[in-house]
Amino acid sequence: MIQTVLAIETSCDDTSVAVVADGGWVRSVVSANQDLAHSPFGGIVPEIAGRNHSVNTLPLVDQALKSANHVWDQIDGIVVTNRPGLIGSLIVGLVTAKSLAQVRGLPLIGVNHLEGHIMAPLLKDPNYQPPNDFDFPFLALVVSGGHTTIYLASSFGKYEVLGGTRDDAAGEAFDKFAKALGLGWPGGVKVDQLSKGGNSKAFDFPRGMIKEDNFDMSFSGLKASGMRLIGSLNAAEVAEKMSDLCASYQEAIVEVLLAKLEKAVQKTGIRHAVITGGVSANSRLRERAEQWSVQKKVQLVVPPLRYCTDNAAMVGFAGLLRLQNGERSELSLGPAPSSLAGDFQGMDL
Ligand code: KG4
Ligand code: ZN
């Protein structure tokens, strides 16, 4: 029986390694953030990401085992994110995972990063556990720098894409706006902080596709409108209106996300939902989602920040369940930039 796995996540810019045990118990999760390396370029530079992963991954493997107080004999399998993501980044995690699996004689399983995000709210540690009665089926709003999608998770491994952004991810919309305001990259968290005390009605930003009777969203119109507005103001005006600009822009994103999640609840009748991905760290999204869930009697689980942003624990749990179901990947497993046919139903590949 596979009880404990070591998981490696290198799909984008964060390197993360975790030890995860049966039931989703996180024994350790250690990560190396690369923000400082990419921020001078205002976005992720794939080659730099890959090079940093190759420096970070093995030391993090040692650290994850140490901080879990585990030795190799206590590890029953190796999990790795092999899709979707930046190819140069995925390769580093894959090569490491395959070598470890071979050297240690352990089974290997490649996992879809997005399945990790969907499973993140079900992780457990001494300081976090989802409610006892929370289970499938649930709706999952995965909202990050690269993805903004609503899934219907009917059971483990069975996920249907209900809808999502037709253009930019919500995190990207946050980051581009922050960059135009001179707040650096990634700027979502800065927009969040500067929104505090701002008037969210000061500027009327578009809410793309909010009225359409589907689960799709669009953030490119919002982004363009934000750029236009910033371009029409001088530096002193931007500084003076900073809080109002951030609060109004943030409100537009939060409203679209919650309106579509609400539509998913109405259409499916499922009253259990999770919100995960880096943007679920947003304090206004958390606040309004919480109010919404109470009003609409939806059981909502938003995991703590450490499981919202990219991390290997979420991937480890998905991989552990797959290994326990008897699934195995070949050592020829390759990386893929996108999800694969069969990963999600209703997916537009
Ligand atoms: O999931 P994640 O760590 O990485 C991927 O994109 O997969 O998400 C990163 C995104 C970035 O766009 C970042 O600006 C955004 O999450 N983000 C936030 C906040 N914290 C992180 N956006 C809005 N408010 C925040 N507090
Ligand atoms: Zn992610």
Side-chain angles (χ1 to χ4, degrees), residues 95-136:
V95 168
T96 314
K98 289 198 256 185
S99 312
L100 292 172
Q102 202 163 24
V103 169
R104 300 281 164 191
L106 294 171
L108 173 80
I109 187 84
V111 165
N112 184 309
H113 175 82
L114 296 164
E115 179 175 43
H117 276 305
I118 293 171
M119 294 300 290
L122 302 180
L123 289 169
K124 297 179 190 128
D125 66 29
N127 300 310
Y128 169 74
Q129 282 180 47
N132 276 337
D133 59 345
F134 187 83
D135 205 351
F136 295 100

Side-chain angles (χ1 to χ4, degrees), residues 225-288:
S225 140
M227 299 297 126
R228 262 198 313 274
L229 178 62
I230 295 168
S232 72
L233 302 173
N234 63 38
E237 287 168 327
V238 169
E240 187 203 326
K241 297 178 198 304
M242 186 64 92
S243 281
D244 289 351
L245 283 165
C246 289
S248 302
Y249 190 87
Q250 172 176 270
E251 202 70 10
I253 294 179
V254 169
E255 266 177 27
V256 170
L257 293 173
L258 289 182
K260 294 296 174 161
L261 188 57
E262 158 78 11
K263 201 172 276 296
V265 168
Q266 281 171 4
K267 282 268 160 88
T268 62
I270 293 174
R271 312 200 78 80
H272 307 275
V274 305
I275 307 183
T276 66
V279 177
S280 63
N282 183 269
S283 58
R284 184 66 177 151
L285 177 59
R286 284 178 173 246
E287 183 188 347
R288 286 204 50 180

Side-chain angles (χ1 to χ4, degrees), residues 205-236:
F205 286 113
R207 274 91 166 130
M209 303 184 77
I210 200 166
K211 296 241 161 70
E212 291 191 23
D213 191 24
N214 57 30
F215 311 108
D216 288 340
M217 311 164 214
S218 165
F219 296 104
S220 65
L222 168 70
K223 193 176 78 179
S225 140
M227 299 297 126
R228 262 198 313 274
L229 178 62
I230 295 168
S232 72
L233 302 173
N234 63 38

Side-chain angles (χ1 to χ4, degrees), residues 84 112 114-115 117-118 138-153 159-171 215-219 256-258 260-261 264 273-277 279-280 285 339 344-348:
N112 184 309
L114 296 164
E115 179 175 43
H117 276 305
I118 293 171
F138 59 80
L139 298 165
L141 169 63
V142 177
V143 57
S144 73
H147 303 276
T148 301
T149 306
I150 299 176
Y151 299 92
L152 194 179
Y159 318 109
E160 185 185 344
V161 174
L162 295 182
T165 183
R166 296 256 180 102
D167 38 59
D168 299 324
F215 311 108
D216 288 340
M217 311 164 214
S218 165
F219 296 104
V256 170
L257 293 173
L258 289 182
K260 294 296 174 161
L261 188 57
V274 305
I275 307 183
T276 66
V279 177
S280 63
L285 177 59
S339 294
F344 305 108
Q345 298 159 289
M347 182 179 57
D348 229 355

Side-chain angles (χ1 to χ4, degrees), residues 113 117 144-146 171-172 174-175 186 188-189 192 277-279 281-282 308-310:
H113 175 82
H117 276 305
S144 73
E172 194 184 337
F174 267 116
D175 291 341
V189 65
D192 185 353
V279 177
N282 183 269
C308 284
T309 51
D310 286 352

